[in-house]
Amino acid sequence: MTEIIHREAVYLWYYFDLQLRQILPYFLVGIVLGSVISVFAKDRIHDLFRSLGNKKLGVLGVIPASILGITSPLCMYGTIPIAASFSKSGIKDDWLAAFMMSSILLNPQLIIYSTALGGTALAIRIVSCFICGIAAGILVRIFYKDKPFFNFSGFEEPKNRDTDPNLFIRLLKNIWRNIKATGLWFLAGVILSALFQRYVPSEFIGRLFGENEGFGVLMAATIGVPLYACGGGTIPLLIQWLADGMSMGSAAAFMITGPATKITNLGAVKIVLGIKRFVIYIAFVIIFSLATGVLINLMV
């Protein structure tokens, strides 16, 4: 019995070490880049979006709004107070919807993490999140043109924690906060990936997420709801699943429903939407993820 436990521990350590060495460089670069953008570029990004309120872009405003949402380094709880200040400064709800939707799905740090998945998966993730933001903005413009979609009452602009007069110390503090927020989830993802690699046959993953591609997309979209806790933590799992036969469409569906239905994001979104519009949000996410996954499987 002791010999069996020792052997399994050796196998698990091998898979854990393999996964860690494969993904750790992307995680560290993502941490540093995310902190650099947060400390030195965050205010410029938000000021640029705020300046759109002075331009008569009409529905086309959802395009730069979606792009700026992706470049914003804030989490959703940080984005909502900023969005409240945008609303007060005259930014329309459709532009806010595009900004917030794409911000939920992607940020610069997660883009760096996702490079570990390969060029195709990275491009699909960026493009699908960008289009999802645009789609959300257009739908809000069509169905809520003459009535408010968001309720930002009670929200004030968040306090900036990056205030240390020494720029280097300010950056180091931000990096440390970033590591504390994501480090444990990253390690959990590596551990889960090692467990999958050791105990779940690759043929099972291929059948579940790859062979029956329509069903695989549905399963990936569904499993993204309870499994997604941190973007960095899911990258090792996706690497392993793709290697085991997961279709690119299934991966895309998972990468949309995961962050969009992450518990902390859902709590934040529900605050500003209310029950009825919150249900609409969930339905939109599910339909968009399934349609995107099926379309990608037809194209790739």
Side-chain angles (χ1 to χ4, degrees), residues 110-175:
L110 189 51
I111 289 175
I112 297 299
Y113 294 162
S114 300
T115 57
L117 300 173
T120 301
L122 175 63
I124 286 173
R125 181 162 216 173
I126 293 173
V127 172
S128 62
C129 292
F130 169 62
I131 294 175
C132 189
I134 290 176
I138 290 174
L139 289 174
V140 168
R141 184 180 183 87
I142 292 173
F143 294 104
Y144 284 84
K145 186 174 183 180
D146 299 319
K147 49 187 175 180
F149 186 74
F150 299 104
N151 178 14
F152 292 116
S153 59
F155 283 97
E156 297 180 357
E157 191 153 349
K159 295 180 180 178
N160 188 358
R161 293 192 290 175
D162 298 311
T163 56
D164 195 290
N166 185 307
L167 290 180
F168 183 67
I169 298 298
R170 187 187 307 176
L171 178 61
L172 288 180
K173 287 181 176 180
N174 192 284
I175 289 174

Side-chain angles (χ1 to χ4, degrees), residues 46 50 74 78-87 96 99 156-158:
H46 295 158
R50 191 175 281 109
L74 292 178
T79 297
I80 286 179
I82 285 290
S85 72
F86 291 157
S87 181
L96 284 174
F99 178 89
E156 297 180 357
E157 191 153 349

